[in-house]
Amino acid sequence: MHLRKKQRKKTLLSLTGIVLSMTFVATGCGKLSDSETTPGSFVEAVKPEANDKRIEITWANNFNAPEADDNYVQKQLEQKFNVKIKNVKLERQGWRDTFNVLLASGQIPDIFPIDANEIDFATWADQGIIASISPDEIRKNMPSYSKALESFDAGAWNAGFYNGRNWGIPKVWPTGNSGMIPGYNEAWLKKIGYNEPPKTLAELEDVLIKFVNNDPDGNGKKDTYGMSGRGKLPIQMFTSVFSAYGVSPYQFKLGADGKVVYGGITEETRSALKLLNKWFEAGLIDPEFITADNVQLNEKFANQKIGMVDNMSWRNFGAESGYITKPALEKGQRVIGGKPVVGPAGKAYAFSSGTRQTPLLLGVQLEEDAAKRIIIEQILEYVATNPEGWLLTVYGEKGVNYDLNGDLVVVRTTPAASKAGAGSFYNPLANADTSMFKYNTTKELLDLKAKLDTGYEPLRDVIAPTALSAKGKYWANLQTLVDNYLIKAIIGKADTDKGFDDFKVSWLKSGGQELTDEANMVYAERHIK
């Protein structure tokens, strides 16, 4: 432990140098006063009196920050477990820079933000900032959570192992198991002679051609495109086409030789790009896809500029979904869900982010504070798996913030849940126990899932999320290389023959080979027979 303390001291000095200027801008002198309550700042709850013997837990999160400290949910947790909670409230966007200021000043919270990723994980583990925790201890102090986790995905523990140790508490997002499903303008399909969505890649091409050439909106003009893509988030861009080739350019997959390979440099990606470039040159793809995000895709679909999107989840086909379905209905358009199309891969595949997430990370100081560590584990067990704790932290006060109609939660519009402290701030593990879904999943949604979320094989990263030391060194640059090449290849600014070969070599030389070697090592360790 002595070595870890020296390592941590060295790391904090380094971090301080990196973000010193940020510290002056963001905090003035490193800390904000207790009276400042703007979400995103390091707001401290009222400090315990000198004779207050309660354990104090510093709780950081960038999700659903409560409007004020000493809110209803916080008080209920404090009273039940005889603790004092100090809130560290971060903005959803840009939280990482702000959080680094906190770490650089030596203020390491007990509970880390929910959006920490595997790069953060590996970096903070190497720097001695986060705590290593025994899985046996977690199973002992969080028995219901461990049971729920393992019944859903026993392999979720793998995401927390790095350098031979377990870090943090495993976290899953069951919705991530589902794949992305294509959605089509139903009236357009019928106009071009299709009574159901296309089932093969060849049929999809035919549909897109007719969406462009057959005046599907009936305005007498050739002013429509077949589809667009989410160019602002390329991992969700043209997933139906890449999946038809059995690949995602942003996932590790197994090659024909049984070795782990990055999807973006495979022959499957090359072939998919050739087809997408053909479609782009034929005018089937909206050229504005490069700068499109979901807001623009919403507008283009609702306003009959495009007839297909392919980054929808089954939930997005619900009538109240703010993505595609509801905005389209408001403009008189109905979206119909199809199955992922079958292409050269021979199966219906759908891109899936997967259920496993980076663990909930805890501050390194908890390694030497068993009492606080155990009480945190008990609190997390309560909020994640006990109906009382789950409803409290997710929805707030019954009869004030919500009511129950049978098991189904009926949310009241006032007062806002954020005033009560409800949401994900005090429940970073809210999604793990699927038995809680009865409180917020209607029969209509269950029927929709049964109808749409079937008939395909999810296409997932074979090792993600995994803390890889090479990711911290190279990932940002490697992602930029992939983003830039994919878009240039689709619009014809980069060729897919020698240009693809050059891109592959560049990716491997820029750290991709080291990353791939580490990924193969991890995969092999996990699959030792």
Side-chain angles (χ1 to χ4, degrees), residues 448-469:
L448 190 65
K449 178 176 171 60
K451 177 183 177 183
L452 295 176
D453 195 27
T454 185
Y456 66 87
E457 184 174 328
L459 197 63
R460 304 188 186 109
D461 193 302
V462 295
I463 64 166
T466 299
L468 302 172
S469 59

Side-chain angles (χ1 to χ4, degrees), residues 64-78 85 87 89 389 391-402 411-427:
N64 304 131
E67 290 187 13
D69 296 314
D70 296 320
N71 53 74
Y72 177 78
V73 174
Q74 177 183 340
K75 286 182 177 179
Q76 292 299 305
L77 292 175
E78 288 175 337
I85 295 173
N87 300 318
K89 299 182 284 188
L391 288 168
L392 166 69
T393 50
V394 175
Y395 290 106
E397 185 177 2
K398 184 179 179 181
V400 176
N401 303 113
Y402 75 94
V411 177
R412 294 191 181 189
T413 55
T414 55
S418 61
K419 294 183 182 296
S424 297
F425 190 88
Y426 299 109
N427 197 342

